[in-house]
Amino acid sequence: RWAVMQIADDRVVARGLVLDLDGLSGNVLAGPRLQRLAVSDGEGEFLHIEDLEIEWNGLALLSGRVDIHSLVAARIDMDRRPSLVAAASAGGNLPAVRISRLDVEALRFGEPVLGTEALFTLSGEARLRDDGAVAFEARRTDVVGDRLLADLTWQAGGDIAGVFEAELAADSPLAALAGLSGVATSVTGRLQGRADRGTGEAAVTLDGETVSEMEIAWQDDRWSLDAYTDATRFPPRLETPFDASSTARLAGSLSPFMLDSANVEGRDW
């Protein structure tokens, strides 16, 4: 434990961020616990974690793997967005990462992050590298409101499948970020295929009315999105640039990912 504190405490990590560790106990190679972990930038502390418990195989680092059985935190507070220094050029490969269980009892974002203070719970799991999976669910707990859920799996050179669901309350800070203040919003999506080709679909519902439906496709290093939007179903209190129904097609390259063509109602932009 002493060696870890000497190496990691007050250590400058990526993008000029500084770690501050307090109250380290337990076996650092199997089940370390921290009373508090804080992250600071040039303007001071912006994020801290309380009562962090990790069950992991520390020796897996010797083979280039991060193998975490359980990562549990009583509370994470992010008071503001960090001020990051310019990134140096990166090299090498990312390690294989597995987190079998992630639980955060209280995840708080300060007003500068989302526009209003908000409190969530977070749970999930992740396995990152050639074959992988990411699943998480976040729910707002201070008021009846936001819920985010995502589940994505992939195989190296093989199948990809995923689903996404988002429910945003009318007074949600996330809805405000999306320009949908005062409107109850629901977004659902699904994709399936392989790394080189596949399809997906998504829908947007505002105040219980489906206002937009989208189809997504990718193949031969190209992607496309076809969207149908019915502005006549938009809530009256939501101002939109559309007078009626419209169709749009966006397309571009995958590598690098970029938009290179847009057609709305038969007109190129």
Side-chain angles (χ1 to χ4, degrees):
R1 292 196 299 268
W2 178 86
V4 172
M5 293 295 292
Q6 292 298 311
I7 294 172
D9 196 27
D10 292 327
R11 177 180 173 84
V12 178
V13 292
R15 309 292 298 274
L17 302 180
V18 179
L19 297 182
D20 183 20
L21 311 182
D22 186 30
L24 177 63
S25 62
N27 184 339
V28 295
L29 295 178
R33 297 183 296 275
L34 273 171
Q35 291 181 353
R36 193 174 192 273
L37 185 153
V39 186
S40 303
D41 57 16
E43 301 174 10
E45 181 179 304
F46 68 91
L47 181 145
H48 69 268
I49 304 173
E50 297 178 4
D51 296 329
L52 175 63
E53 298 184 7
I54 302 174
E55 294 181 10
W56 76 321
N57 178 8
L59 296 178
L61 292 174
L62 299 176
S63 59
R65 296 181 294 115
V66 178
D67 189 2
I68 299 175
H69 309 303
S70 175
L71 193 157
V72 178
R75 186 177 180 91
I76 298 178
D77 286 88
M78 185 173 184
D79 296 320
R80 58 176 174 82
R81 301 175 188 179
S83 177
L84 303 175
V85 301
S89 59
N93 296 321
L94 293 175
V97 177
R98 181 175 72 90
I99 303 175
S100 298
R101 176 194 171 206
L102 169 66
D103 276 308
V104 179
E105 184 176 344
L107 173 62
R108 186 190 68 85
F109 294 102
E111 182 177 352
V113 181
L114 296 178
T116 185
E117 185 170 307
L119 188 65
F120 296 82
T121 63
L122 175 66
S123 62
E125 60 180 300
R127 186 177 71 252
L128 307 179
R129 198 62 190 270
D130 298 331
D131 294 338
V134 174
F136 73 88
E137 181 175 8
R139 290 179 178 270
R140 193 172 178 190
T141 57
D142 51 343
V143 297
V144 177
D146 302 338
R147 172 180 175 268
L148 304 175
L149 181 149
D151 191 338
L152 175 66
T153 61
W154 66 90
Q155 298 175 351
D159 295 338
I160 297 174
V163 295
F164 174 80
E165 298 177 10
E167 297 175 3
L168 309 179
D171 60 350
S172 156
L174 297 181
L177 285 176
L180 296 170
S181 294
V183 180
T185 305
S186 174
V187 181
T188 60
R190 181 182 300 274
L191 59 85
Q192 55 279 319
R194 301 172 63 87
D196 59 346
R197 66 182 63 194
T199 59
E201 52 276 338
V204 178
T205 300
L206 302 180
D207 281 353
E209 293 276 2
T210 299
V211 300
S212 184
E213 295 178 305
M214 292 159 274
E215 294 183 354
I216 307 160
W218 66 93
Q219 182 176 347
D220 299 330
D221 201 36
R222 298 282 299 172
W223 65 269
S224 64
L225 184 149
D226 292 283
Y228 171 77
T229 301
D230 187 354
T232 64
R233 294 179 177 269
F234 279 38
R237 62 183 177 280
L238 183 64
E239 296 182 2
T240 75
F242 306 108
D243 294 326
S245 303
S246 64
T247 59
R249 180 177 178 83
L250 309 178
S253 63
L254 284 174
S255 181
F257 185 84
M258 63 182 299
L259 170 70
D260 57 27
S261 67
N263 184 289
V264 180
E265 289 297 295
R267 298 178 59 189
D268 293 325
W269 294 80

